[in-house]
Short mmCIF file of all heavy atoms in Angstrom, two decimals:
data_model
loop_
_atom_site.label_atom_id
_atom_site.label_comp_id
_atom_site.label_asym_id
_atom_site.label_seq_id
_atom_site.Cartn_x
_atom_site.Cartn_y
_atom_site.Cartn_z
N GLU A 7 0.81 -1.22 0.00
CA GLU A 7 0.00 0.00 0.00
C GLU A 7 0.84 1.27 0.00
O GLU A 7 0.31 2.36 -0.07
CB GLU A 7 -0.94 0.00 1.20
CG GLU A 7 -1.98 -1.08 1.13
CD GLU A 7 -2.92 -1.07 2.31
OE1 GLU A 7 -2.72 -0.28 3.26
OE2 GLU A 7 -3.87 -1.86 2.29
N LYS A 8 2.16 1.11 0.15
CA LYS A 8 3.11 2.22 0.17
C LYS A 8 2.85 3.21 1.31
O LYS A 8 3.02 4.42 1.16
CB LYS A 8 3.14 2.94 -1.17
CG LYS A 8 3.67 2.05 -2.28
CD LYS A 8 3.86 2.83 -3.53
CE LYS A 8 4.38 2.07 -4.72
NZ LYS A 8 4.59 0.71 -4.74
N ASN A 9 2.41 2.68 2.44
CA ASN A 9 2.28 3.50 3.64
C ASN A 9 2.28 2.58 4.85
O ASN A 9 2.13 1.37 4.74
CB ASN A 9 1.03 4.38 3.61
CG ASN A 9 -0.24 3.58 3.73
OD1 ASN A 9 -0.36 2.66 4.54
ND2 ASN A 9 -1.23 3.93 2.94
N HIS A 10 2.47 3.18 6.01
CA HIS A 10 2.47 2.39 7.24
C HIS A 10 1.08 2.47 7.86
O HIS A 10 0.66 3.52 8.34
CB HIS A 10 3.53 2.90 8.22
CG HIS A 10 4.92 2.63 7.74
ND1 HIS A 10 5.41 1.36 7.58
CD2 HIS A 10 5.91 3.46 7.38
CE1 HIS A 10 6.65 1.42 7.14
NE2 HIS A 10 6.98 2.68 7.01
N SER A 11 0.40 1.37 7.81
CA SER A 11 -0.97 1.32 8.27
C SER A 11 -1.06 1.25 9.79
O SER A 11 -0.09 1.01 10.49
CB SER A 11 -1.67 0.10 7.66
OG SER A 11 -1.08 -1.08 8.19
N HIS A 12 -2.28 1.44 10.27
CA HIS A 12 -2.58 1.30 11.69
C HIS A 12 -2.24 -0.13 12.15
O HIS A 12 -1.79 -0.35 13.25
CB HIS A 12 -4.05 1.63 11.93
CG HIS A 12 -4.47 1.55 13.35
ND1 HIS A 12 -3.94 2.36 14.33
CD2 HIS A 12 -5.36 0.75 13.96
CE1 HIS A 12 -4.49 2.06 15.49
NE2 HIS A 12 -5.35 1.09 15.29
N LEU A 13 -2.47 -1.09 11.27
CA LEU A 13 -2.16 -2.49 11.56
C LEU A 13 -0.67 -2.66 11.87
O LEU A 13 -0.29 -3.38 12.79
CB LEU A 13 -2.56 -3.35 10.36
CG LEU A 13 -2.25 -4.84 10.40
CD1 LEU A 13 -3.11 -5.52 11.47
CD2 LEU A 13 -2.53 -5.46 9.04
N LEU A 14 0.17 -1.98 11.11
CA LEU A 14 1.61 -2.08 11.33
C LEU A 14 2.01 -1.48 12.68
O LEU A 14 2.81 -2.06 13.41
CB LEU A 14 2.38 -1.39 10.20
CG LEU A 14 3.90 -1.44 10.32
CD1 LEU A 14 4.42 -2.86 10.40
CD2 LEU A 14 4.53 -0.72 9.14
N ARG A 15 1.43 -0.35 13.04
CA ARG A 15 1.73 0.27 14.34
C ARG A 15 1.38 -0.71 15.47
O ARG A 15 2.14 -0.87 16.41
CB ARG A 15 0.97 1.58 14.48
CG ARG A 15 1.09 2.27 15.81
CD ARG A 15 2.45 2.81 16.11
NE ARG A 15 2.71 4.03 15.40
CZ ARG A 15 3.75 4.81 15.68
NH1 ARG A 15 4.59 4.51 16.64
NH2 ARG A 15 3.95 5.89 14.98
N GLY A 16 0.26 -1.38 15.36
CA GLY A 16 -0.14 -2.36 16.38
C GLY A 16 0.82 -3.54 16.44
O GLY A 16 1.16 -4.01 17.53
N ALA A 17 1.26 -4.01 15.28
CA ALA A 17 2.21 -5.13 15.24
C ALA A 17 3.55 -4.73 15.86
O ALA A 17 4.16 -5.51 16.61
CB ALA A 17 2.40 -5.61 13.81
N LEU A 18 3.99 -3.51 15.58
CA LEU A 18 5.25 -3.03 16.17
C LEU A 18 5.11 -2.85 17.68
O LEU A 18 6.06 -3.11 18.42
CB LEU A 18 5.68 -1.72 15.51
CG LEU A 18 6.15 -1.85 14.07
CD1 LEU A 18 6.47 -0.47 13.51
CD2 LEU A 18 7.35 -2.78 13.96
N ARG A 19 3.94 -2.42 18.12
CA ARG A 19 3.71 -2.28 19.57
C ARG A 19 3.80 -3.66 20.23
O ARG A 19 4.46 -3.80 21.26
CB ARG A 19 2.35 -1.65 19.82
CG ARG A 19 2.06 -1.39 21.29
CD ARG A 19 0.78 -0.61 21.49
NE ARG A 19 0.88 0.68 20.82
CZ ARG A 19 0.08 1.08 19.82
NH1 ARG A 19 -0.89 0.32 19.39
NH2 ARG A 19 0.24 2.26 19.27
N THR A 20 3.16 -4.65 19.64
CA THR A 20 3.22 -6.01 20.17
C THR A 20 4.67 -6.50 20.24
O THR A 20 5.11 -7.06 21.24
CB THR A 20 2.38 -6.97 19.31
OG1 THR A 20 1.03 -6.52 19.31
CG2 THR A 20 2.45 -8.39 19.81
N LEU A 21 5.41 -6.26 19.16
CA LEU A 21 6.81 -6.67 19.09
C LEU A 21 7.63 -5.97 20.17
O LEU A 21 8.42 -6.60 20.88
CB LEU A 21 7.37 -6.34 17.70
CG LEU A 21 8.84 -6.64 17.45
CD1 LEU A 21 9.12 -8.14 17.55
CD2 LEU A 21 9.26 -6.10 16.08
N ALA A 22 7.46 -4.66 20.32
CA ALA A 22 8.24 -3.89 21.29
C ALA A 22 7.92 -4.30 22.72
O ALA A 22 8.83 -4.44 23.55
CB ALA A 22 7.97 -2.40 21.10
N VAL A 23 6.64 -4.52 23.01
CA VAL A 23 6.25 -4.94 24.36
C VAL A 23 6.88 -6.29 24.68
O VAL A 23 7.42 -6.50 25.77
CB VAL A 23 4.71 -4.98 24.49
CG1 VAL A 23 4.27 -5.72 25.75
CG2 VAL A 23 4.14 -3.57 24.48
N GLU A 24 6.82 -7.21 23.74
CA GLU A 24 7.41 -8.52 23.96
C GLU A 24 8.93 -8.43 24.11
O GLU A 24 9.52 -9.10 24.96
CB GLU A 24 7.04 -9.47 22.81
CG GLU A 24 7.47 -10.89 23.05
CD GLU A 24 7.00 -11.85 21.99
OE1 GLU A 24 5.97 -11.59 21.31
OE2 GLU A 24 7.66 -12.89 21.84
N ALA A 25 9.55 -7.60 23.30
CA ALA A 25 11.01 -7.43 23.38
C ALA A 25 11.42 -6.89 24.76
O ALA A 25 12.37 -7.39 25.37
CB ALA A 25 11.50 -6.50 22.28
N ARG A 26 10.70 -5.89 25.25
CA ARG A 26 11.00 -5.35 26.58
C ARG A 26 10.78 -6.40 27.66
O ARG A 26 11.59 -6.55 28.56
CB ARG A 26 10.13 -4.12 26.87
CG ARG A 26 10.66 -2.85 26.29
CD ARG A 26 9.98 -1.62 26.88
NE ARG A 26 8.55 -1.76 27.13
CZ ARG A 26 7.58 -1.38 26.30
NH1 ARG A 26 7.89 -0.81 25.15
NH2 ARG A 26 6.33 -1.53 26.62
N ALA A 27 9.69 -7.15 27.55
CA ALA A 27 9.37 -8.17 28.55
C ALA A 27 10.43 -9.27 28.59
O ALA A 27 10.66 -9.87 29.64
CB ALA A 27 8.00 -8.78 28.26
N LYS A 28 11.07 -9.49 27.46
CA LYS A 28 12.09 -10.55 27.37
C LYS A 28 13.49 -9.98 27.46
O LYS A 28 14.46 -10.63 27.09
CB LYS A 28 11.89 -11.35 26.10
CG LYS A 28 10.57 -12.12 26.14
CD LYS A 28 10.36 -12.98 24.94
CE LYS A 28 9.07 -13.79 25.12
NZ LYS A 28 8.80 -14.63 23.98
N SER A 29 13.60 -8.73 27.95
CA SER A 29 14.89 -8.06 28.17
C SER A 29 15.76 -7.99 26.92
O SER A 29 16.98 -8.09 26.99
CB SER A 29 15.65 -8.73 29.31
OG SER A 29 14.90 -8.69 30.50
N MET A 30 15.14 -7.79 25.82
CA MET A 30 15.86 -7.64 24.56
C MET A 30 16.33 -6.19 24.45
O MET A 30 15.56 -5.26 24.70
CB MET A 30 14.90 -7.98 23.41
CG MET A 30 15.54 -8.46 22.17
SD MET A 30 14.23 -9.04 21.04
CE MET A 30 15.22 -9.25 19.60
#
């Protein structure tokens, strides 16, 4: 779609939360 959708922001949030929780 050549843009960063709301779906992507949510996926990155999930990734970041998990990374922090796992001390990454």
